[in-house]
Amino acid sequence: MPLYPAVDPIPLPAPIWLLKLLHIVTLALHFVAVEMLLGGLLLAVLLSLFSNSPLATVTARALARRLTVVMTYVINLGVPPLLFAQVLYGRALYTSSVLIGIYWISIIGILTLTYWLLYRFSARLEAGKSAWWVGLIAWLLAGSVARLLSTNMTLMLRPEVWRDMYSASSMGAYLPTGDPTLTPRWLLMMAGGLFIGGLWLVYLSGRSTFTADEKQFIARLGGKVAAGFGLVYLAAGFWASSVQPDAVKTGLVAHPLYKFAGFAGYGWGILVLIAVLLAAFAGFAKVSAGLSGLLGWSAVLLAVLVEITFTVYRDGVRDLTLLSKGYDVWDRVVVTNWGVVGLFLVLFIAGLGVVGWLISVVARAQKTMESVPQSPLENLQ
Ligand code: HEM
């Protein structure tokens, strides 16, 4: 009996390399936004819980104001990779999604609640009310969405357990157990949150809407958090790759792209280490006003590059795991519809142009100092 459902007889409308490229680029951007949400929210909660200093309050508020916007990026940058993943891996991904159907569909409700709580968190901070518990519930919910996504992305790689799961519950009410890769993979994403969240603070410390004292506080805090959790992130990366099956580990080292992107001292590891050094500099050295902007943009660039190499490597883990179980993602009939592909690319570039223009409008808008309480919908830069 075959492990996977029959392949769709309709051929793919674009080359597989193009679908994979778009998948990886959009997913890496989704991961940047996800890590900002997970890390930025936890930092804002901890600041509002443990510190009564005005500097901590301004920082927590500044993060909370931006988190509602970050959430829009999490969602909108999650849709494209979902579509590309369904095209490329539909036979595995649809099956695993159906098997955990009740939990999978519940993500929509959890997301809606999280989004609402982010607005409440920000509004309560602006009003000077106790807010940490609202933010903490939102963070726990976001972490549970991450857990469900990790659950599905690892279950899609285990066709050998699908039949037993379906026998145990055909309603999709049964969560899989016994996968040694699931928890390390989820914790890797959670650790990345504080690493990227710290880099985000390093970026924010270069913004002109903070006073000199606030800038120094934010750079010091962000630098220390990113440097410390960068090392945790590295350790979690090694853990997540060490629990992969032997065939996958061997394949990753043998493949030039995955080897270059990989965790074992190559692309990803080197980039995280460079970011740790940059963060330590921001966290411990006395940084001049002129340098803080450059440091901030370097932090942004490193965060994006780290997530791109991470996504390439993760893609290798998936392709090699599936290949070892008879699913070759490259083995599909392709009949490219170049007219549609061309139209898509034109619209894609135009869309990026519109987003760039929107960002430039926000950047040119009149700015209010961060220490002034605002409505949660203002000052979204
Ligand atoms: C609070 C909101 C969210 C969080 C915390 C979150 C977190 C995550 C995490 C941790 C992963 C990696 C899972 C793994 O491989 O171990 C992931 C993957 C993914 N997320 Fe999100 N996500 C969120 C919202 C969304 C939304 C709204 C969408 C789509 C509309 C989405 C689409 C995806 C897709 C498609 C993948 C995996 C794609 C692939 O492997 O090809 N996510 N997300």
CSV table of all heavy atoms in Angstrom, one decimal, residues 48-90:
chain,number,residue,atom,x,y,z
A,48,SER,N,7.5,45.0,32.0
A,48,SER,CA,6.4,45.6,32.7
A,48,SER,C,6.2,44.9,34.0
A,48,SER,O,5.6,45.5,34.9
A,48,SER,CB,5.2,45.6,31.8
A,48,SER,OG,4.8,44.4,31.4
A,49,LEU,N,6.7,43.7,34.1
A,49,LEU,CA,6.4,42.9,35.4
A,49,LEU,C,7.5,43.2,36.4
A,49,LEU,O,7.2,43.5,37.6
A,49,LEU,CB,6.4,41.4,35.1
A,49,LEU,CG,6.3,40.5,36.3
A,49,LEU,CD1,5.0,40.7,37.0
A,49,LEU,CD2,6.3,39.0,35.8
A,50,PHE,N,8.8,43.3,36.0
A,50,PHE,CA,9.8,43.3,37.0
A,50,PHE,C,10.5,44.7,37.2
A,50,PHE,O,11.3,44.8,38.1
A,50,PHE,CB,10.9,42.3,36.6
A,50,PHE,CG,10.5,40.9,36.8
A,50,PHE,CD1,10.4,40.0,35.7
A,50,PHE,CD2,10.1,40.4,38.0
A,50,PHE,CE1,10.0,38.7,35.9
A,50,PHE,CE2,9.7,39.1,38.2
A,50,PHE,CZ,9.7,38.3,37.1
A,51,SER,N,10.2,45.6,36.3
A,51,SER,CA,10.8,46.9,36.5
A,51,SER,C,9.8,48.1,36.6
A,51,SER,O,8.9,48.1,35.7
A,51,SER,CB,11.8,47.1,35.4
A,51,SER,OG,12.4,48.4,35.6
A,52,ASN,N,10.0,48.9,37.6
A,52,ASN,CA,9.1,50.1,37.7
A,52,ASN,C,9.8,51.3,37.1
A,52,ASN,O,9.3,52.4,37.2
A,52,ASN,CB,8.7,50.3,39.1
A,52,ASN,CG,7.8,49.2,39.6
A,52,ASN,OD1,7.0,48.7,38.8
A,52,ASN,ND2,7.9,48.8,40.9
A,53,SER,N,11.0,51.2,36.6
A,53,SER,CA,11.8,52.4,36.2
A,53,SER,C,11.1,53.0,34.9
A,53,SER,O,10.5,52.3,34.1
A,53,SER,CB,13.2,52.1,35.9
A,53,SER,OG,13.3,51.6,34.5
A,54,PRO,N,11.1,54.3,34.8
A,54,PRO,CA,10.5,55.0,33.6
A,54,PRO,C,11.1,54.5,32.3
A,54,PRO,O,10.4,54.3,31.3
A,54,PRO,CB,10.8,56.5,33.8
A,54,PRO,CG,11.2,56.6,35.3
A,54,PRO,CD,11.7,55.3,35.8
A,55,LEU,N,12.4,54.2,32.3
A,55,LEU,CA,13.1,53.7,31.1
A,55,LEU,C,12.5,52.4,30.7
A,55,LEU,O,12.2,52.1,29.5
A,55,LEU,CB,14.6,53.6,31.3
A,55,LEU,CG,15.3,54.9,31.5
A,55,LEU,CD1,16.8,54.6,31.8
A,55,LEU,CD2,15.2,55.7,30.2
A,56,ALA,N,12.3,51.5,31.6
A,56,ALA,CA,11.7,50.2,31.3
A,56,ALA,C,10.3,50.3,30.8
A,56,ALA,O,9.8,49.6,29.9
A,56,ALA,CB,11.7,49.3,32.6
A,57,THR,N,9.5,51.3,31.4
A,57,THR,CA,8.1,51.5,31.0
A,57,THR,C,8.1,52.0,29.5
A,57,THR,O,7.3,51.5,28.7
A,57,THR,CB,7.4,52.5,31.9
A,57,THR,OG1,7.6,52.1,33.2
A,57,THR,CG2,6.0,52.7,31.6
A,58,VAL,N,9.0,52.9,29.2
A,58,VAL,CA,9.0,53.4,27.8
A,58,VAL,C,9.3,52.3,26.8
A,58,VAL,O,8.7,52.2,25.8
A,58,VAL,CB,10.0,54.6,27.7
A,58,VAL,CG1,10.3,55.0,26.3
A,58,VAL,CG2,9.6,55.8,28.5
A,59,THR,N,10.3,51.5,27.2
A,59,THR,CA,10.7,50.4,26.3
A,59,THR,C,9.6,49.4,26.1
A,59,THR,O,9.3,49.0,25.0
A,59,THR,CB,12.0,49.7,26.9
A,59,THR,OG1,12.9,50.6,27.3
A,59,THR,CG2,12.6,48.7,25.9
A,60,ALA,N,8.9,49.0,27.2
A,60,ALA,CA,7.8,48.0,27.1
A,60,ALA,C,6.7,48.6,26.2
A,60,ALA,O,6.2,47.9,25.4
A,60,ALA,CB,7.3,47.7,28.5
A,61,ARG,N,6.4,49.9,26.4
A,61,ARG,CA,5.3,50.5,25.6
A,61,ARG,C,5.7,50.6,24.2
A,61,ARG,O,4.9,50.3,23.3
A,61,ARG,CB,5.1,51.9,26.1
A,61,ARG,CG,4.0,52.0,27.1
A,61,ARG,CD,3.5,53.5,27.1
A,61,ARG,NE,3.7,54.0,28.5
A,61,ARG,CZ,4.1,55.3,28.7
A,61,ARG,NH1,4.4,56.1,27.7
A,61,ARG,NH2,4.3,55.7,29.9
A,62,ALA,N,7.0,50.9,23.9
A,62,ALA,CA,7.5,51.1,22.5
A,62,ALA,C,7.4,49.7,21.8
A,62,ALA,O,6.9,49.6,20.6
A,62,ALA,CB,8.9,51.5,22.5
A,63,LEU,N,7.7,48.6,22.5
A,63,LEU,CA,7.6,47.3,21.9
A,63,LEU,C,6.1,47.0,21.7
A,63,LEU,O,5.7,46.5,20.6
A,63,LEU,CB,8.2,46.2,22.8
A,63,LEU,CG,9.7,46.2,22.8
A,63,LEU,CD1,10.2,45.2,23.9
A,63,LEU,CD2,10.3,45.7,21.5
A,64,ALA,N,5.3,47.2,22.7
A,64,ALA,CA,3.9,46.8,22.6
A,64,ALA,C,3.2,47.5,21.5
A,64,ALA,O,2.4,47.0,20.7
A,64,ALA,CB,3.2,47.1,23.9
A,65,ARG,N,3.5,48.8,21.3
A,65,ARG,CA,2.9,49.6,20.2
A,65,ARG,C,3.2,49.0,18.8
A,65,ARG,O,2.3,49.0,17.9
A,65,ARG,CB,3.6,51.0,20.2
A,65,ARG,CG,2.9,52.0,21.1
A,65,ARG,CD,3.8,53.2,21.1
A,65,ARG,NE,3.4,54.0,22.3
A,65,ARG,CZ,4.2,54.9,22.8
A,65,ARG,NH1,5.3,55.3,22.2
A,65,ARG,NH2,3.8,55.5,23.9
A,66,ARG,N,4.4,48.4,18.7
A,66,ARG,CA,4.7,47.8,17.4
A,66,ARG,C,4.2,46.4,17.2
A,66,ARG,O,4.2,45.9,16.1
A,66,ARG,CB,6.3,47.9,17.3
A,66,ARG,CG,6.8,49.3,17.1
A,66,ARG,CD,8.2,49.4,17.4
A,66,ARG,NE,8.8,50.7,17.0
A,66,ARG,CZ,8.7,51.8,17.8
A,66,ARG,NH1,8.1,51.7,18.9
A,66,ARG,NH2,9.1,53.0,17.4
A,67,LEU,N,3.9,45.7,18.3
A,67,LEU,CA,3.6,44.3,18.2
A,67,LEU,C,2.3,44.0,17.4
A,67,LEU,O,2.2,43.0,16.7
A,67,LEU,CB,3.5,43.6,19.6
A,67,LEU,CG,4.9,43.4,20.2
A,67,LEU,CD1,4.7,42.9,21.7
A,67,LEU,CD2,5.7,42.3,19.4
A,68,THR,N,1.3,44.9,17.5
A,68,THR,CA,0.1,44.7,16.7
A,68,THR,C,0.4,44.8,15.2
A,68,THR,O,-0.2,44.1,14.4
A,68,THR,CB,-0.9,45.8,17.1
A,68,THR,OG1,-0.3,47.1,17.1
A,68,THR,CG2,-1.5,45.6,18.5
A,69,VAL,N,1.4,45.7,14.9
A,69,VAL,CA,1.8,45.8,13.5
A,69,VAL,C,2.6,44.5,13.1
A,69,VAL,O,2.4,44.0,12.0
A,69,VAL,CB,2.6,47.0,13.2
A,69,VAL,CG1,3.0,47.2,11.7
A,69,VAL,CG2,1.9,48.3,13.7
A,70,VAL,N,3.5,44.1,14.0
A,70,VAL,CA,4.3,42.9,13.7
A,70,VAL,C,3.4,41.7,13.4
A,70,VAL,O,3.6,40.9,12.5
A,70,VAL,CB,5.2,42.6,14.9
A,70,VAL,CG1,5.9,41.2,14.7
A,70,VAL,CG2,6.3,43.7,14.9
A,71,MET,N,2.3,41.6,14.1
A,71,MET,CA,1.3,40.5,14.0
A,71,MET,C,0.7,40.5,12.5
A,71,MET,O,0.5,39.4,12.0
A,71,MET,CB,0.2,40.6,15.0
A,71,MET,CG,-0.8,39.5,15.0
A,71,MET,SD,0.1,37.9,15.3
A,71,MET,CE,-1.2,37.1,16.3
A,72,THR,N,0.5,41.7,12.0
A,72,THR,CA,0.0,41.7,10.6
A,72,THR,C,1.0,41.1,9.6
A,72,THR,O,0.7,40.4,8.7
A,72,THR,CB,-0.4,43.1,10.1
A,72,THR,OG1,0.8,43.9,10.1
A,72,THR,CG2,-1.4,43.8,11.0
A,73,TYR,N,2.3,41.3,9.9
A,73,TYR,CA,3.4,40.8,9.1
A,73,TYR,C,3.4,39.3,9.3
A,73,TYR,O,3.7,38.5,8.4
A,73,TYR,CB,4.7,41.4,9.3
A,73,TYR,CG,4.8,42.8,8.7
A,73,TYR,CD1,4.5,43.9,9.4
A,73,TYR,CD2,5.1,42.9,7.4
A,73,TYR,CE1,4.5,45.2,8.8
A,73,TYR,CE2,5.2,44.1,6.7
A,73,TYR,CZ,4.8,45.3,7.4
A,73,TYR,OH,4.9,46.5,6.8
A,74,VAL,N,3.3,38.8,10.6
A,74,VAL,CA,3.3,37.4,10.8
A,74,VAL,C,2.3,36.7,10.0
A,74,VAL,O,2.5,35.7,9.3
A,74,VAL,CB,3.0,37.1,12.3
A,74,VAL,CG1,2.8,35.6,12.6
A,74,VAL,CG2,4.2,37.6,13.2
A,75,ILE,N,1.1,37.2,10.0
A,75,ILE,CA,0.0,36.6,9.3
A,75,ILE,C,0.2,36.7,7.7
A,75,ILE,O,0.1,35.7,7.0
A,75,ILE,CB,-1.4,37.2,9.7
A,75,ILE,CG1,-1.6,36.9,11.2
A,75,ILE,CG2,-2.5,36.6,8.9
A,75,ILE,CD1,-2.8,37.6,11.8
A,76,ASN,N,0.4,37.9,7.3
A,76,ASN,CA,0.5,38.1,5.8
A,76,ASN,C,1.7,37.4,5.2
A,76,ASN,O,1.7,37.0,4.0
A,76,ASN,CB,0.4,39.6,5.5
A,76,ASN,CG,-1.0,40.1,5.6
A,76,ASN,OD1,-1.9,39.7,4.9
A,76,ASN,ND2,-1.2,41.0,6.6
A,77,LEU,N,2.8,37.3,6.0
A,77,LEU,CA,3.9,36.6,5.4
A,77,LEU,C,3.9,35.1,5.7
A,77,LEU,O,4.7,34.4,5.3
A,77,LEU,CB,5.2,37.2,6.1
A,77,LEU,CG,5.6,38.6,5.6
A,77,LEU,CD1,6.6,39.2,6.5
A,77,LEU,CD2,6.0,38.6,4.1
A,78,GLY,N,2.8,34.7,6.4
A,78,GLY,CA,2.6,33.2,6.6
A,78,GLY,C,1.8,32.6,5.4
A,78,GLY,O,1.9,31.5,5.1
A,79,VAL,N,0.9,33.5,4.8
A,79,VAL,CA,0.0,32.9,3.8
A,79,VAL,C,0.8,32.5,2.5
A,79,VAL,O,0.6,31.3,2.1
A,79,VAL,CB,-1.0,34.0,3.4
A,79,VAL,CG1,-1.9,33.5,2.2
A,79,VAL,CG2,-1.9,34.3,4.6
A,80,PRO,N,1.8,33.3,2.0
A,80,PRO,CA,2.5,32.8,0.8
A,80,PRO,C,3.2,31.4,1.0
A,80,PRO,O,3.0,30.5,0.2
A,80,PRO,CB,3.4,33.9,0.4
A,80,PRO,CG,2.9,35.1,1.1
A,80,PRO,CD,2.2,34.6,2.3
A,81,PRO,N,4.0,31.3,2.0
A,81,PRO,CA,4.7,30.0,2.2
A,81,PRO,C,3.7,28.8,2.4
A,81,PRO,O,3.9,27.7,2.0
A,81,PRO,CB,5.6,30.1,3.4
A,81,PRO,CG,5.1,31.4,4.1
A,81,PRO,CD,4.5,32.2,3.1
A,82,LEU,N,2.5,29.2,3.0
A,82,LEU,CA,1.5,28.1,3.1
A,82,LEU,C,1.0,27.6,1.8
A,82,LEU,O,0.9,26.4,1.5
A,82,LEU,CB,0.3,28.6,4.0
A,82,LEU,CG,-0.8,27.6,4.3
A,82,LEU,CD1,-0.2,26.4,5.1
A,82,LEU,CD2,-1.9,28.2,5.1
A,83,LEU,N,0.8,28.6,0.9
A,83,LEU,CA,0.4,28.2,-0.5
A,83,LEU,C,1.5,27.4,-1.2
A,83,LEU,O,1.2,26.4,-1.9
A,83,LEU,CB,0.0,29.5,-1.3
A,83,LEU,CG,-1.1,30.3,-0.6
A,83,LEU,CD1,-1.5,31.5,-1.5
A,83,LEU,CD2,-2.4,29.5,-0.4
A,84,PHE,N,2.7,27.9,-1.2
A,84,PHE,CA,3.8,27.2,-1.9
A,84,PHE,C,4.0,25.8,-1.3
A,84,PHE,O,4.3,24.9,-2.0
A,84,PHE,CB,5.1,28.0,-1.8
A,84,PHE,CG,5.0,29.3,-2.6
A,84,PHE,CD1,5.3,30.5,-2.0
A,84,PHE,CD2,4.7,29.3,-4.0
A,84,PHE,CE1,5.2,31.7,-2.7
A,84,PHE,CE2,4.6,30.5,-4.7
A,84,PHE,CZ,4.9,31.7,-4.1
A,85,ALA,N,3.9,25.7,0.1
A,85,ALA,CA,4.1,24.4,0.7
A,85,ALA,C,3.1,23.4,0.3
A,85,ALA,O,3.3,22.3,0.1
A,85,ALA,CB,4.1,24.6,2.2
A,86,GLN,N,1.8,23.9,0.1
A,86,GLN,CA,0.7,23.0,-0.3
A,86,GLN,C,0.9,22.6,-1.7
A,86,GLN,O,0.7,21.4,-2.1
A,86,GLN,CB,-0.6,23.8,-0.2
A,86,GLN,CG,-1.0,23.9,1.3
A,86,GLN,CD,-2.2,24.8,1.5
A,86,GLN,OE1,-2.6,25.5,0.6
A,86,GLN,NE2,-2.7,24.8,2.7
A,87,VAL,N,1.5,23.5,-2.6
A,87,VAL,CA,1.7,23.0,-4.0
A,87,VAL,C,2.8,22.0,-4.0
A,87,VAL,O,2.7,21.0,-4.7
A,87,VAL,CB,2.1,24.3,-4.8
A,87,VAL,CG1,2.7,23.9,-6.2
A,87,VAL,CG2,1.0,25.2,-5.0
A,88,LEU,N,3.9,22.2,-3.2
A,88,LEU,CA,5.1,21.3,-3.3
A,88,LEU,C,4.9,20.1,-2.5
A,88,LEU,O,5.4,19.0,-2.9
A,88,LEU,CB,6.3,22.1,-2.9
A,88,LEU,CG,6.8,23.2,-3.8
A,88,LEU,CD1,7.8,24.1,-3.0
A,88,LEU,CD2,7.4,22.7,-5.1
A,89,TYR,N,4.3,20.2,-1.3
A,89,TYR,CA,4.2,19.0,-0.4
A,89,TYR,C,2.8,18.6,0.0
A,89,TYR,O,2.6,18.0,1.0
A,89,TYR,CB,5.0,19.4,0.9
A,89,TYR,CG,6.4,19.9,0.7
A,89,TYR,CD1,6.7,21.2,0.6
A,89,TYR,CD2,7.4,19.0,0.5
A,89,TYR,CE1,8.0,21.7,0.4
A,89,TYR,CE2,8.7,19.4,0.3
A,89,TYR,CZ,9.0,20.8,0.2
A,89,TYR,OH,10.3,21.2,0.0
A,90,GLY,N,1.8,19.0,-0.9
A,90,GLY,CA,0.4,18.8,-0.6
A,90,GLY,C,0.1,17.4,-0.1
A,90,GLY,O,-0.6,17.3,0.9
